[in-house]
Amino acid sequence: RVRLRPRANGTDAHDMFLAGRAARVEAVLTDVDGSRHVAVVLDDDPGADLHEWYGRHYHFSPDELSPLPHDHEASP
């Protein structure tokens, strides 16, 4: 589990609305140029189970995520 901390510049404009939200890591992906991206599903998204089933994830770089303790609740 992670807390989303998107960069202020050089990122998707939609990401600013996700700042501070808790998410579950679903996959770590490597791009063709060797860059790593982390696929996450939001904890408080009512459609999270459908997004997970369809493979629809938000993608962040590892430096935009902060690990959460295992006992952390889903609230921000």
Side-chain angles (χ1 to χ4, degrees), residues 4-21 40 42 56-61 64:
L4 305 178
R5 305 277 182 218
R7 294 183 302 268
N9 297 320
T11 188
D12 188 298
H14 184 262
D15 291 351
M16 70 181 211
F17 297 107
L18 303 177
R21 307 231 342 236
V40 301
L42 300 176
R56 165 97 171 55
H57 303 101
Y58 292 102
H59 295 90
F60 291 89
S61 65
E64 295 179 297

Side-chain angles (χ1 to χ4, degrees), residues 2-59:
V2 295
R3 175 88 50 211
L4 305 178
R5 305 277 182 218
R7 294 183 302 268
N9 297 320
T11 188
D12 188 298
H14 184 262
D15 291 351
M16 70 181 211
F17 297 107
L18 303 177
R21 307 231 342 236
R24 183 178 67 247
V25 173
E26 292 295 317
V28 177
L29 310 166
T30 303
D31 208 335
V32 294
D33 64 359
S35 300
R36 288 211 170 109
H37 305 280
V38 181
V40 301
V41 174
L42 300 176
D43 283 349
D44 60 354
D45 184 349
D49 56 339
L50 290 175
H51 295 312
E52 182 181 359
W53 188 78
Y54 281 112
R56 165 97 171 55
H57 303 101
Y58 292 102
H59 295 90

